[in-house]
Amino acid sequence: MRDTDIDADDLARMCKALAHPARIQLLRHLIDYGECYFGKLTDVLPLAPSTISQHVSILKEAGLIEGSSDVQRVCYCVNPARLKQLQQAIGAL
């Protein structure tokens, strides 16, 4: 197994995280813009901040995005290694 290989359960977890249009839009935004503070993510979609927070949590749990915080804000970005794993696993289907 290569470093980029993932098992079926892990692939299913990532696919499930992408099974909602809002999460795909959030991930695309982060891919396009590199990183984004949570407050700016609420401008990406016409959803309540609490709903966006739930979507962000699901993407984080799947490892597709990462968050780092300073004193008052959380900044999110794509986990490039994890995204590469997903792309390779989908390509191998």
Side-chain angles (χ1 to χ4, degrees):
M1 187 183 271
R2 298 179 309 241
D3 288 342
T4 55
D5 287 343
I6 57 175
D7 64 25
D9 290 336
D10 204 16
L11 177 58
R13 186 176 9 269
M14 285 192 285
C15 289
K16 185 176 180 180
L18 294 175
H20 192 285
R23 292 192 287 270
I24 291 172
Q25 287 180 273
L26 289 169
L27 186 62
R28 281 183 176 163
H29 179 80
L30 291 171
I31 289 168
D32 290 343
Y33 295 98
E35 63 183 25
C36 188
Y37 286 103
F38 180 79
K40 292 292 182 184
L41 287 179
T42 60
D43 296 338
V44 175
L45 298 169
L47 300 172
S50 60
T51 303
I52 291 175
S53 180
Q54 290 173 352
H55 288 306
V56 165
S57 292
I58 291 168
L59 290 169
K60 279 182 63 178
E61 288 170 12
L64 293 169
I65 66 173
E66 301 170 324
S68 60
S69 61
D70 59 25
V71 176
Q72 296 179 337
R73 303 182 295 183
V74 179
C75 184
Y76 292 99
C77 64
V78 171
N79 178 343
R82 190 75 164 152
L83 187 59
K84 183 178 178 181
Q85 284 181 323
L86 175 63
Q87 291 168 331
Q88 289 181 343
I90 294 292
L93 291 177

